[in-house]
Amino acid sequence: MGIGKFELYYRKHLLKFGNEEIQLSQKENKLLALFASQQNEILERDHLLKEIWEDEGVFVGRSLDMFVSKLRKKLIQDPNIQLKNVRGRGYVLQVK
C-alpha cells in the first residue's frame, strides 16, 4: 500500500522508503494501515482507540498520542506526508 514515497507491507509489519526498511510494531502497523486506507480524511479519535485497543479492554488515550508520535518520526523522510492532530476530533494523514 503506497503512502507518499513509502510503501507499507502490512503482513510483514514493514515500511519501505527506497532501499531503507523500517520495522513497525503491531500497533504502529495497524494504526498506519488505518491512516493509509483513508488518506486525507479525518479519523475520529474514538474510532482509532476502538480499532487498535478494543481487544485489550482498556482505552488509553495517551497511548494513541504516543504511537502517532512514533509514526511521525518514521514518516519524516517524506516532506509530502504530515500526520496532523485535528483538535477535538482525531487525526488526519495528509499526503500531497
Side-chain angles (χ1 to χ4, degrees):
M1 179 181 314
I3 307 167
K5 295 179 182 173
F6 287 92
E7 195 65 34
L8 175 63
Y9 295 90
Y10 184 75
R11 290 187 178 160
K12 294 181 179 181
H13 294 237
L14 188 67
L15 187 61
K16 283 188 86 173
F17 184 81
N19 292 329
E20 184 181 352
E21 294 185 349
I22 303 164
Q23 279 300 133
L24 299 172
S25 71
Q26 182 178 350
K27 284 187 176 27
E28 288 171 334
N29 191 51
K30 197 170 182 182
L31 187 58
L32 187 54
L34 282 170
F35 283 125
S37 69
Q38 297 180 55
Q39 294 178 31
N40 301 310
E41 295 179 28
I42 296 172
L43 294 178
E44 300 288 335
R45 187 174 183 81
D46 290 342
H47 172 71
L48 293 169
L49 287 168
K50 186 174 188 260
E51 287 292 320
I52 307 296
W53 282 273
E54 182 175 48
D55 294 341
E56 296 173 20
V58 178
F59 298 154
V60 183
R62 294 300 306 158
S63 291
L64 174 59
D65 300 334
M66 181 190 71
F67 280 101
V68 167
S69 178
K70 286 181 177 186
L71 287 176
R72 281 182 179 134
K73 289 174 186 168
K74 292 181 179 186
L75 295 168
I76 201 163
Q77 293 167 308
D78 187 343
N80 294 316
I81 296 175
Q82 287 189 314
L83 191 46
K84 289 189 163 186
N85 181 15
V86 179
R87 190 171 174 90
R89 294 204 48 206
Y91 291 95
V92 61
L93 179 68
Q94 290 183 332
V95 181
K96 295 178 187 170

